[in-house]
Amino acid sequence: MTVAPLMLAVSVAFPKPGQVLPPVDSTYMSGAVPRGTQTITVQGREVSVYRTGGWVTMVDVVSGENQIEIVAGDVKTNVTVRVEQKPKPLPVNKTAAREKKWTKLEYAKDEPRVHPSGKAPSDILIVVDPGHGGPADTGAVSPHGFFEKEANLRLAREVVVALTNMGYRVEMTRDSDVPLVLTERPRSACEGEADAFVSIHHNATACNSDPRKVRYTAVYAWNPIGEALAKAVSGKMAAELEGDIPSSGVLHANFAVTRNPEVPSCLVETDFITTPEGEEAIWDWKRRKRIGEAIAQGIDEWCRTPPPAGKRE
Ligand SMILES: [Zn+2]
């Protein structure tokens, strides 16, 4: 009896063949093979495959073009990874750089809005922003090739459903796969009557750090008005996901969607899409619904909690 050689299709989600990376010594590489495959070989080293068929590993790269070979059964796949050779950056004036990063949203007023604690939910407007969108801005990519922009939209819809059920007015910055300019996302919140702005994302590790080593939730805020909102959202998420993934609490980040001086804003990073475990968890719709409800409960708690006396936030 002759046994047919085992042929296994292997896909690579990151980096894409020919993808240009910044100057790094190593990068993570991820992809998928048929379920049931135990191991594959990448750069001659054995790599274990998760039960979903997803795989991820770290590979060594040098400046210039790298041919990285992936072997699964009898199938060999080569991916070209170009690593950019950039001249060493000149020393920067840190103060000037920081000031530049402070760029104000030109349409936002400096004065924060009055906290909505005195209002009924039906008089409170929350803007939910599913991060990324459109063909060019996919966000991060999972080992099976799913895009963060889609995961963000699905979770954002759960947040909207939960808030609507609580009686809030809700608007989304996008409800389909369309591109949006980052600095334009908070515009409708400022020009309308929004009481809060929440951007929904899924996290990814930097190309030269190992995605297998990090998974956590985090809520980013920049100013005190956003921080109070972020704290409430982070607390509810951490409670809901206790024993599942750890919480990093509230982190500070000067993002276009967090530095709004007028409308309290925060950015939620729900999980890491770059690992096979994170990917599997993100596509669990029951878990997604629970996370969406937890984010909505955090927003609700913030709306109902009056700020300390004398403070607008
Ligand atoms: Zn994102």
Side-chain angles (χ1 to χ4, degrees):
M1 190 180 81
T2 51
V3 179
L6 189 59
M7 302 285 280
L8 295 171
V10 52
S11 69
V12 179
F14 184 89
K16 285 279 167 222
Q19 182 158 348
V20 180
L21 298 178
V24 288
D25 299 326
S26 63
T27 177
Y28 78 85
M29 183 171 248
S30 68
V33 284
R35 274 167 187 255
T37 312
Q38 303 274 303
T39 54
I40 57 167
T41 308
V42 180
Q43 263 184 350
R45 292 191 288 261
E46 237 179 46
V47 169
S48 35
V49 176
Y50 292 69
R51 65 183 193 92
T52 55
W55 58 269
V56 61
T57 188
M58 293 302 290
V59 293
D60 307 320
V61 285
V62 292
S63 287
E65 240 175 47
N66 299 262
Q67 291 290 333
I68 294 165
E69 192 185 65
I70 304 133
V71 183
D74 280 355
V75 179
K76 277 184 191 164
T77 305
N78 274 293
V79 175
T80 310
V81 180
R82 266 185 297 143
V83 175
E84 242 180 41
Q85 245 177 328
K86 269 189 185 163
K88 269 205 163 155
L90 295 167
V92 286
N93 177 338
K94 280 193 181 157
T95 316
R98 216 174 294 139
E99 269 164 21
K100 196 169 164 249
K101 280 187 87 184
W102 260 99
T103 324
K104 185 183 165 296
L105 296 167
E106 42 104 9
Y107 47 80
K109 294 183 194 78
D110 291 324
E111 189 73 359
R113 290 190 180 179
V114 175
H115 190 279
S117 58
K119 294 199 272 183
S122 56
D123 292 328
I124 297 174
L125 174 65
I126 312 293
V127 174
V128 178
D129 171 47
H132 311 280
D137 183 11
T138 62
V141 60
S142 81
H144 277 85
F146 296 120
F147 295 130
E148 185 204 338
K149 62 177 182 178
E150 178 62 25
N152 295 343
L153 183 56
R154 290 187 189 201
L155 176 59
R157 284 183 181 141
E158 295 293 351
V159 178
V160 170
V161 167
L163 285 171
T164 307
N165 288 341
M166 291 170 179
Y168 289 96
R169 286 164 59 214
V170 193
E171 274 175 21
M172 294 172 88
T173 54
R174 69 175 177 98
D175 193 16
S176 61
D177 184 21
V178 290
L180 287 177
V181 176
L182 199 55
T183 48
E184 286 297 307
R185 286 177 186 261
R187 184 186 281 275
S188 70
C190 287
E191 289 178 349
E193 295 163 353
D195 294 279
F197 177 95
V198 178
S199 193
I200 305 289
H201 285 252
H202 289 79
N203 222 334
T205 44
C207 74
N208 60 342
S209 60
D210 193 337
R212 293 166 297 186
K213 291 184 181 157
V214 274
R215 251 187 95 194
Y216 56 83
T217 64
V219 183
Y220 291 89
W222 180 243
N223 48 28
I225 53 168
E227 206 174 276
L229 172 66
K231 250 186 213 160
V233 172
S234 169
K236 293 288 180 190
M237 271 194 13
E240 184 57 48
L241 293 171
E242 207 186 338
D244 181 347
I245 50 170
S247 159
S248 276
V250 176
L251 302 174
H252 284 263
N254 183 9
F255 297 144
V257 292
T258 57
R259 63 171 168 254
N260 198 327
E262 184 183 359
V263 181
S265 307
C266 67
L267 181 145
V268 183
E269 291 280 13
T270 326
D271 202 333
F272 279 74
I273 199 169
T274 39
T275 64
E277 288 144 323
E279 170 186 66
E280 189 181 8
I282 285 164
W283 296 105
D284 173 350
W285 67 270
K286 282 185 188 162
R287 181 176 178 272
R288 186 190 311 140
K289 196 170 160 54
R290 288 197 289 117
I291 297 172
E293 280 166 2
I295 294 170
Q297 281 164 14
I299 298 168
D300 176 57
E301 184 183 276
W302 172 81
C303 287
R304 288 186 292 102
T305 312
K311 281 200 168 187
R312 293 179 76 98
E313 64 266 21

